[in-house]
Amino acid sequence: MPLFHRQLIATLLFACLSLAALGQPLRIVSEAWPPYIHEDNGVLRGLDYEAAQTVLQRLGVEVEWQLLPWRRCLMAMEQGQADGILGIFRTPEREASMLFAREPLSQVELVLFYAKANPHPFHRLADLHGLKIGVSAGYWYSDRAFRESTLFTREPAPNHAANFGKLVRKRVDLVINDRRGGHFVLAQTGLDKHVRQHPRVISRDRLYLALRRNAGFAALARRFANELRRFKREPAYAALQARYKTPAHARLAVRPENQTANH
């Protein structure tokens, strides 16, 4: 049999196996991070979640969603307990085990937040000397100078709300978070009157949907990216963005500081 025919048969067989795998719901995990994805009275909502769900529905893919603390999301992907992860930064290290849909879901700006009662002037990295910065456990910060700096210490928290709770209690001096996401969490927890944001952007990055590499999802990743690009050109996507533009109507959803999200 010619080599071309053998390669064609192998490709078709692999495609059939992939489709068989997709006969089960696609298991996607993420961490609650409004306005990108969060739970509202038992219903999942959010800019990235609703965009991804719309695209996957158009592709005819049934999805089983689960919200977990971020480190558990990464572990679920590593152990094969999840097929995909929503709202993840793309890095060379992650690309070794994950297949990223090439079209990003959102763009984020990481900034520093401070308590009004305990301000810390910040213009350059040296201003952070000796401070304690609240970070999200397992998160990747793309600015290398910030990520590797030894000027300050990092204090991880189980979720975003806990980070801001520690900030107003002076258990950390500053918190790094996405500008839009941080303001949504503050509005939800009722802490927006006590916290402000430094204007300087530490780094900009993009959030993606990633699927398990070498699991037969390459075609799905390509189709997802193409359909997401089409969706972004539609009025429905503009309306979705407008709905999550500001946290003015964010619901109050206070969590005890020592309680991880049960998602």
Side-chain angles (χ1 to χ4, degrees), residues 31-37 89 107-114 134 136 139 159-165 167-168 175-198 207 244-248 250-251:
E31 180 188 38
W33 190 13
Y36 303 107
I37 181 170
F89 297 142
Q107 299 193 33
V108 299
E109 294 182 337
L110 295 175
V111 297
L112 290 171
F113 290 84
Y114 64 93
S136 297
Y139 270 50
N159 55 59
H160 299 287
N163 244 337
F164 287 116
L167 181 64
V168 297
V175 163
I176 185 168
N177 206 309
D178 167 50
R179 176 185 55 78
R180 177 166 52 181
H183 285 293
F184 265 83
V185 174
L186 289 169
Q188 281 194 321
T189 56
L191 297 176
D192 48 333
K193 296 179 181 178
H194 306 287
V195 176
R196 292 293 180 267
Q197 169 219 313
H198 280 294
L207 297 174
Y244 291 105
K245 187 175 182 180
T246 67
R251 294 177 180 270

Side-chain angles (χ1 to χ4, degrees), residues 23-39:
Q24 299 296 322
L26 195 70
R27 300 164 299 172
I28 299 181
V29 295
S30 187
E31 180 188 38
W33 190 13
Y36 303 107
I37 181 170
H38 62 106
E39 194 175 47

Side-chain angles (χ1 to χ4, degrees), residues 90-139:
R90 186 176 179 177
T91 70
E93 293 80 4
R94 288 171 174 171
E95 285 189 298
S97 60
M98 300 183 195
L99 187 65
F100 286 77
R102 293 191 175 275
E103 182 67 17
L105 287 157
S106 290
Q107 299 193 33
V108 299
E109 294 182 337
L110 295 175
V111 297
L112 290 171
F113 290 84
Y114 64 93
K116 287 176 61 178
N118 190 32
H120 291 281
F122 170 67
H123 303 284
R124 53 198 177 100
L125 204 61
D127 295 331
L128 304 180
H129 185 269
L131 298 182
K132 184 181 291 186
I133 310 295
V135 300
S136 297
Y139 270 50

Side-chain angles (χ1 to χ4, degrees), residues 30-160:
S30 187
E31 180 188 38
W33 190 13
Y36 303 107
I37 181 170
H38 62 106
E39 194 175 47
D40 181 7
N41 290 327
V43 178
L44 285 179
R45 303 188 188 279
L47 175 60
D48 286 0
Y49 163 75
E50 292 175 46
Q53 180 71 342
T54 297
V55 169
L56 290 166
Q57 284 179 343
R58 291 181 179 185
L59 297 177
V61 179
E62 183 183 353
V63 183
E64 179 183 292
W65 296 90
Q66 187 177 19
L67 296 183
L68 300 167
W70 188 245
R71 279 187 171 172
R72 287 182 60 190
C73 291
L74 296 174
M75 188 178 301
M77 287 289 286
E78 181 181 342
Q79 297 177 350
Q81 298 170 353
D83 300 314
I85 184 168
L86 183 80
I88 187 169
F89 297 142
R90 186 176 179 177
T91 70
E93 293 80 4
R94 288 171 174 171
E95 285 189 298
S97 60
M98 300 183 195
L99 187 65
F100 286 77
R102 293 191 175 275
E103 182 67 17
L105 287 157
S106 290
Q107 299 193 33
V108 299
E109 294 182 337
L110 295 175
V111 297
L112 290 171
F113 290 84
Y114 64 93
K116 287 176 61 178
N118 190 32
H120 291 281
F122 170 67
H123 303 284
R124 53 198 177 100
L125 204 61
D127 295 331
L128 304 180
H129 185 269
L131 298 182
K132 184 181 291 186
I133 310 295
V135 300
S136 297
Y139 270 50
W140 166 266
Y141 297 99
S142 61
D143 184 88
R144 184 173 182 178
F146 178 88
R147 188 174 69 247
E148 298 181 356
S149 177
T150 58
L151 291 171
F152 54 89
T153 58
R154 296 157 182 79
E155 177 79 16
N159 55 59
H160 299 287

